[in-house]
């Protein structure tokens, strides 16, 4: 079942000439047995203490990040007719999910200096301290992670995907894939002008397994022996049931 989670923005006490603050109608995404993804609807409004500045225009950058995970990335090469692991790089932390949506091309909406400061772009959201001295082109390992996760929908760069009306109201949506990792999803919204951040807000969306999914997950962690026996019983029962059904169909 495809769930829809809506995020609504509201006005707050002024801190800057232009400011955005985020409020959530729901703060949780539930992963059930038939979960096939979720769509986050994000609506926003800009609070001002001064008249609208038309030039340079205001831009909006939205980033949603899943839990950070360490990764080991390996390079395979063909040796003597078989593929073997040759080199590996340890990536300290990579988001399990990461999406960026902007109201303009990314480099127009956010300068490289601001990107470096806030770590908004996908490559800068991945933390890799170093690589073994004998590994050539270690950056290629990070690019491989980005390529693979972009292909399966876990990493998304959606330029010009934020609609901005009258320099005041904005909206977009982010698709969460079915293979979500359980945890807290950090959501950041940046207001920028000429690529410089003028306001920022952060909040968290909780993604949790519920129902049968939660029970099985908890059982596998707390009672691994019982979980293994239950899995074996289900497999044997399913096999016996299929065999019996096939025999009945043949006899009929």
């Amino acid at each position: 079942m495809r769930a829809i989670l809506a995020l609504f923005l509201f006005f707050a006490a002024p801190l800057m000439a232009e400011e955005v603050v985020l409020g959530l109608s729901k703060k949780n995404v539930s992963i059930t047995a038939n979960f096939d993804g979720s769509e986050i609807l994000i609506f926003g409004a800009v609070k001002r203490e001064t008249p609208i500045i038309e030039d340079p225009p205001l831009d909006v950058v939205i980033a949603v990040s899943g839990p950070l995970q360490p990764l080991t990335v390996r390079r395979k090469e063909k040796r003597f007719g078989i593929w073997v692991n040759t080199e590996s790089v340890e990536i300290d932390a990579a988001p399990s999910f990461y999406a960026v949506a902007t109201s303009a091309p990314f480099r127009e909406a956010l300068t490289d200096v601001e990107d470096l400061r806030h770590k908004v772009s996908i490559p800068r959201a991945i933390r890799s301290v170093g690589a073994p001295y004998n590994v050539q082109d270690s950056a290629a390992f990070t690019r491989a992670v980005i390529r693979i996760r972009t292909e399966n929908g876990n990493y998304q760069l959606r330029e010009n995907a934020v609609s901005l009306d009258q320099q005041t109201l904005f909206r977009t949506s982010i698709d969460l894939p079915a293979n979500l990792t359980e945890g807290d999803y950090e959501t950041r919204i940046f207001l920028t002008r000429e690529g410089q951040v003028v306001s920022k807000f952060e909040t968290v969306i909780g993604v949790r397994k519920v129902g049968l999914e939660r029970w099985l997950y908890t059982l596998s962690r707390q009672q691994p022996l019982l979980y293994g026996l239950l899995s074996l019983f289900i497999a044997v029962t399913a096999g016996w049931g299929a065999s019996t059904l096939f025999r009945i169909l043949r006899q009929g």
Side-chain angles (χ1 to χ4, degrees), residues 75-86:
R75 174 178 289 159
K76 291 181 177 293
E77 293 183 3
K78 202 169 187 178
R79 301 282 178 85
F80 306 107
I82 60 173
W83 289 95
V84 296
N85 295 326
T86 56

Side-chain angles (χ1 to χ4, degrees), residues 57-62 100-112 114-115 120-121 157-164 190 192-196:
L58 187 72
D59 283 308
V60 179
V61 179
I62 299 172
V100 180
T102 63
S103 60
F106 185 84
R107 276 292 162 242
E108 292 181 16
L110 197 69
T111 66
D112 189 64
E114 291 284 56
D115 183 24
V120 178
S121 64
L157 174 59
R158 304 180 66 245
E159 297 177 296
N160 301 301
V162 179
S163 298
L164 181 59
F190 302 89
T192 69
R193 200 176 287 280
E194 292 189 304
Q196 304 295 318

Side-chain angles (χ1 to χ4, degrees), residues 58-201:
L58 187 72
D59 283 308
V60 179
V61 179
I62 299 172
V64 180
S65 176
L68 298 176
Q69 302 170 326
L71 289 176
T72 300
V73 185
R74 295 181 172 84
R75 174 178 289 159
K76 291 181 177 293
E77 293 183 3
K78 202 169 187 178
R79 301 282 178 85
F80 306 107
I82 60 173
W83 289 95
V84 296
N85 295 326
T86 56
E87 298 175 324
S88 65
V89 168
E90 300 287 338
I91 294 179
D92 301 274
S96 58
F97 172 85
Y98 197 79
V100 180
T102 63
S103 60
F106 185 84
R107 276 292 162 242
E108 292 181 16
L110 197 69
T111 66
D112 189 64
V113 172
E114 291 284 56
D115 183 24
L116 180 62
R117 178 178 297 125
H118 297 282
K119 294 179 173 55
V120 178
S121 64
I122 295 175
R124 284 181 171 148
I126 299 175
R127 186 168 68 243
S128 182
V129 175
Y133 69 91
N134 60 329
V135 173
Q136 301 295 323
D137 189 19
S138 60
F141 290 79
T142 300
R143 291 196 297 270
V145 173
I146 295 174
R147 174 179 54 80
I148 293 170
R149 292 192 169 182
T150 298
E151 290 173 353
N152 62 26
N154 285 313
Y155 285 177
Q156 305 169 20
L157 174 59
R158 304 180 66 245
E159 297 177 296
N160 301 301
V162 179
S163 298
L164 181 59
D165 300 327
Q166 304 297 319
Q167 297 284 296
T168 301
L169 302 175
F170 61 88
R171 62 187 181 276
T172 192
S173 62
I174 302 291
D175 290 328
L176 300 178
N179 59 338
L180 284 180
T181 299
E182 190 177 27
D184 293 331
Y185 283 61
E186 181 186 58
T187 301
R188 296 180 293 165
I189 296 182
F190 302 89
L191 296 183
T192 69
R193 200 176 287 280
E194 292 189 304
Q196 304 295 318
V197 175
V198 298
S199 179
K200 173 187 175 182
F201 186 88

